[in-house]
Amino acid sequence: MKKLTCIAMIAAALLMAAPAHAQFAWGIKGGVSLGNQSLPELNVSGTNLSLSNYGGFFIGPKAEVRIPIIGLGVEAAALFAQRQQEAFGKTLKQSSFQVPLNIKYGVGLGNIANIFVAVGPEFGFNVGKTLEAYTMDKSRLSVNAGVGVTLLKHVQVGANYNIPCDETIRIKHGSMQVSLAYLF
């Protein structure tokens, strides 16, 4: 029984020591968004409005904490995002503030490269509207799923898909995002 207790205490000490050596990094993240969008509740001239192939950008600070031995980490960012598309001869814009919180798992090749997968929720807060007569929801919830690579511990290149999960959202859209980040 003493051996089992000793082994359990050593294992607990090792698990508690791993977070003490967690690596913290912060930086700047930016990229582009591409996707499709439809407004099923907005009826214009007897047809529902469907906007396709919208484009946009996002930029802002990010931070991440990694546990090196396990390869697990948490990433958070505060991003300003803007999407735009053409409809009715006008350029329609949507601006939002996005906060993705992702759990990341990475497998590395030493200091040269680290391949990672990430998944987590993203909270979006609308800071504008798309049409004069149509106001967007103030906030939305979506899920991110993505992959990427970290090069030389400082440069991250990633791609993820953002899936809206609010049933109450009136504008339906999913987007593919490609990002580049520099970590200090």
Side-chain angles (χ1 to χ4, degrees), residues 61-77:
K62 73 172 268 178
E64 64 180 53
V65 177
R66 296 182 304 269
I67 302 172
I69 297 172
I70 302 171
L72 196 60
V74 177
E75 171 188 58

Side-chain angles (χ1 to χ4, degrees), residues 3-183:
K3 286 184 181 181
L4 183 59
T5 304
C6 184
I7 291 171
M9 290 178 69
I10 291 172
L14 288 174
L15 287 175
M16 289 172 30
H21 294 297
Q23 296 177 350
F24 176 78
W26 63 278
I28 297 178
K29 180 177 183 176
V32 296
S33 297
L34 302 170
N36 292 322
Q37 181 168 300
S38 65
L39 300 140
E41 294 179 6
L42 184 61
N43 192 313
V44 179
S45 301
T47 61
N48 288 335
L49 179 61
S50 179
L51 307 170
S52 61
N53 300 327
Y54 70 81
F57 69 91
F58 56 93
I59 189 164
K62 73 172 268 178
E64 64 180 53
V65 177
R66 296 182 304 269
I67 302 172
I69 297 172
I70 302 171
L72 196 60
V74 177
E75 171 188 58
L79 305 171
F80 173 77
Q82 189 174 72
R83 296 181 175 123
Q84 71 180 37
Q85 57 270 338
E86 295 292 325
F88 311 117
K90 294 182 180 180
T91 299
L92 308 175
K93 293 183 181 179
Q94 176 201 2
S95 298
S96 63
F97 180 69
Q98 298 174 347
V99 182
L101 302 171
N102 293 320
I103 295 175
K104 292 174 78 172
Y105 178 74
V107 178
L109 302 171
N111 292 335
I112 298 172
N114 178 358
I115 298 170
F116 63 85
V117 295
V119 65
E122 179 176 288
F123 303 94
F125 303 96
N126 187 34
V127 293
K129 59 184 181 177
T130 58
L131 294 170
E132 293 83 12
Y134 189 80
T135 303
M136 293 195 47
D137 291 338
K138 291 187 191 287
S139 64
R140 66 179 173 83
L141 175 66
S142 57
V143 176
N144 286 324
V147 297
V149 63
T150 303
L151 302 170
L152 303 172
K153 289 188 174 184
H154 294 287
V155 178
Q156 284 185 346
V157 178
N160 68 298
Y161 192 73
N162 185 280
I163 306 159
C165 58
D166 267 348
E167 290 298 323
T168 60
I169 194 162
R170 288 178 286 234
I171 293 183
K172 308 285 187 211
H173 63 85
S175 64
M176 180 69 182
Q177 297 177 324
V178 178
S179 65
L180 177 65
Y182 184 81
L183 302 174

